[in-house]
Amino acid sequence: MTAAAPGAATAPSGVAAAARGGWWGVAGSAVNAVFAFVLVGLITRALGAQGAGAVFTGVALFTILSHTCKLGADTGLVRFVSRDIAVGGGRGVGGLLRAALTPAVVTSTAAALPLLLCPAVATTLLPHLPASDAVTLMRLFGLFLPVATVGLVLLGANQGHGTVVPFVAVEQIGKPVLRVLIAVPVIWLAPGMLSLAAAWLLPALAGTAAAWLALRRNRAARGTDHPAVRGAVPWRAFWRFAAPRAVSAVFDFSAVWVGVVLLSALATSAEAGVYTAVGRVVTAGTLVQLAVRMAVAPQLSRLIAVGDLAEARHLHRVSTCWVVLFSWPVFVFVVGFPRTVLSAFGPEFGDGAAALVVLCAAAMVNVAVGNAQTVLLMSGRSSWHLAVTAAAFAVQLTAGLLTVPRWGVLGAAVSWGAAVVVENVSAALLVRLRLGFTTVDRGYAAALGAALAVATVPATLRTLAGDTPSGLAVALAWGMCLFGTILWRYRRLLRVIELAGVLRRRVA
């Protein structure tokens, strides 16, 4: 569907709300990408690949556990709070919060106990470290697990109120910035694995407090600050949706970090450190998609709840066009200069260049299908989403066990890349064939064409100058000029006018 000039003034409300939220998300994603990249660079340069690998193994386990222990309650709150506000005036929000938080607190506390009390967990995951150091490191992560889990659930409740600002402020700006601000003096005064792990963990306390304060303000502003009424909340319906999402969330976040754990256990901590750096670069490239997904999710839930499927489908097509337009060019430049990009973490990290190319190719498939998985979740098909993510995780784990001992970092990348392709292609087929959400139209095709046109710049400069910093610098300069020209020349077809019109009304 092509956006005409008048469409800038009459953009559908779902697209408008998503674009406004996406604007915040993109800004937060930019900050997150920069500071997360800086933090990984600081830790790897301070500790080397092996020491950094040990810290990031703890980060990997912590991330998997915290997103497991929230039990899908954050996504449940995004869907049910937005629906309750749309059709019930928000009277059930208090009960929904109680239904979501109580199991998450109990589960995260139980999950922290093995880290605190069972030394075998630490020595199994970190066999290359002295036992005392490994145990202390895991205990440190266990202490912070319950509070971090609660913070994630509270941020989901904020998103259900129709705003992504608290999530952006906490997860994408606050925590990354605080981690760097704490890590810099730590590296200067007392560098070490434990001190830098603490620098990564401490912002979780501030993040949870900020999420709670933001939720209080949002509930007061939206009139949802009613006391929880026993029996007024459909616990069974909430957890019938959230329970499959709880399991699929394990697969989602394990996919990002399981390679680090496998490398640490089956290969070396140094390879785990290299793989973490590779994963950080790829994750940074998908932050635009994450920003749009956060803004789109509550809007899709609201539109589907009130039966406006036409606008929901339009929102999916437009958001996919924007994600492809602004994400694919990033990946084509990284694919052109992988060793140069990884050299920012240190000279030994260039060995991950082949793995970076593999993961960038898989991430381009992920971006190309848009937010198909969000459509599954916000339409209530959490069991479908579970089936998709379970299949993908099975592929990743099987491939990882076979390839990591033989190929190391490249094997971990191949296994993750295969899982990404399986998961996203399956989700795209489901939303197209079963729900009628299409992706390809003239705007989408134009976005792909723009990305492929920009790809000629890094390909040419790589051939002429090689994988060097000077080649990357020249390619970026020419690429940005070409990209800007394409945006202006085909601004209507690429829906840039629609996006700009929404943002202009937001500023006004």
Side-chain angles (χ1 to χ4, degrees):
M1 180 173 181
T2 304
T10 60
S13 59
V15 175
R20 289 194 295 267
W23 178 248
W24 283 105
V26 169
S29 295
V31 175
N32 186 18
V34 171
F35 280 86
F37 195 88
V38 169
L39 181 67
V40 173
L42 289 172
I43 293 176
T44 54
R45 288 187 175 272
L47 301 178
Q50 182 168 341
V55 172
F56 291 128
T57 299
V59 170
L61 182 63
F62 181 87
T63 303
I64 292 170
L65 288 177
S66 61
H67 285 88
T68 299
C69 294
K70 65 185 182 180
L71 301 175
D74 58 331
T75 307
L77 288 174
V78 173
R79 182 169 188 264
F80 278 83
V81 169
S82 60
R83 289 171 63 90
D84 188 71
I85 293 172
V87 300
R91 296 186 178 277
V93 171
L96 286 169
L97 287 172
R98 185 172 64 186
L101 283 169
T102 303
V105 170
V106 173
T107 305
S108 59
T109 302
L113 293 178
L115 299 182
L116 297 170
L117 304 177
C118 184
V121 174
T123 54
T124 300
L125 289 174
L126 300 169
H128 307 290
L129 288 185
S132 59
D133 290 345
V135 170
T136 305
L137 186 64
M138 287 298 111
R139 285 175 176 170
L140 186 61
F141 281 101
L143 285 174
F144 284 84
L145 181 61
V147 68
T149 303
V150 169
L152 293 173
V153 176
L154 293 176
L155 290 174
N158 279 292
Q159 285 183 257
H161 281 80
T163 174
V164 300
V165 174
F167 184 92
V168 171
V170 172
E171 287 294 311
Q172 295 189 311
I173 297 177
K175 287 184 180 179
V177 171
L178 277 176
R179 283 167 180 157
V180 171
L181 292 179
I182 296 172
V184 169
V186 166
I187 291 172
W188 181 261
L189 298 173
M193 288 184 298
L194 294 178
S195 58
L196 286 171
W200 191 90
L201 286 165
L202 282 173
L205 297 175
T208 299
W212 177 70
L213 292 173
L215 182 59
R216 288 188 60 186
R217 289 195 298 270
N218 283 323
R219 294 187 67 190
R222 296 297 297 270
T224 65
D225 51 350
H226 307 284
V229 179
R230 185 177 298 275
V233 174
W235 278 65
R236 181 175 298 178
F238 180 87
W239 284 108
R240 188 166 57 243
F241 170 83
R245 176 54 184 156
V247 181
S248 64
V250 177
F251 298 141
D252 277 342
F253 289 94
S254 296
V256 179
W257 291 103
V258 71
V260 178
V261 177
L262 287 176
L263 284 166
S264 181
L266 302 178
T268 66
S269 295
E271 289 180 291
V274 172
Y275 182 75
T276 299
V278 171
R280 174 52 56 191
V281 174
V282 175
T283 302
T286 61
L287 288 177
V288 171
Q289 183 183 29
L290 174 61
V292 174
R293 179 180 299 166
M294 288 188 303
V296 162
Q299 301 306 321
L300 283 174
S301 177
R302 177 182 64 83
L303 292 170
I304 294 171
V306 300
D308 195 349
L309 293 180
E311 187 176 343
R313 289 164 179 159
H314 172 72
L315 173 58
H316 176 62
R317 288 193 300 271
V318 173
S319 63
T320 301
C321 176
W322 289 340
V323 168
V324 170
L325 181 62
F326 292 104
S327 297
W328 264 43
V330 175
F331 289 119
V332 298
F333 275 92
V334 175
V335 168
F337 301 91
R339 190 170 291 274
T340 298
V341 172
L342 289 173
S343 66
F345 299 102
E348 69 260 54
F349 288 84
D351 294 338
L356 181 56
V357 171
V358 169
L359 285 178
C360 282
M364 292 175 76
V365 175
N366 174 16
V367 168
V369 305
N371 294 311
Q373 297 182 62
T374 303
V375 174
L376 287 179
L377 289 171
M378 292 303 104
S379 63
R381 272 69 173 185
S382 57
S383 59
W384 295 8
H385 186 262
L386 171 59
V388 167
T389 54
F393 186 74
V395 169
Q396 181 177 8
L397 189 59
T398 302
L401 291 172
L402 294 174
T403 60
V404 165
R406 179 176 298 180
W407 296 345
V409 175
L410 180 59
V414 168
S415 64
W416 186 14
V420 168
V421 173
V422 169
E423 181 174 349
N424 286 280
V425 171
S426 300
L429 290 174
L430 282 173
V431 301
R432 173 66 180 89
L433 299 177
R434 301 298 297 273
L435 302 178
F437 279 74
T438 58
T439 299
V440 178
D441 62 3
R442 290 182 64 201
Y444 179 85
L448 286 179
L452 293 175
V454 173
T456 61
V457 176
T460 302
L461 268 296
R462 170 64 184 269
T463 302
L464 296 175
D467 188 353
T468 61
S470 59
L472 176 59
V474 175
L476 284 173
W478 281 101
M480 286 189 290
C481 290
L482 178 59
F483 186 63
T485 301
I486 292 173
L487 286 184
W488 177 254
R489 175 65 179 82
Y490 299 101
R491 57 194 180 278
R492 285 185 172 84
L493 188 58
L494 292 169
R495 295 188 169 108
V496 176
I497 283 184
E498 189 171 1
L499 177 60
V502 170
L503 297 181
R504 186 164 57 247
R505 289 197 303 278
R506 174 66 173 176
V507 173

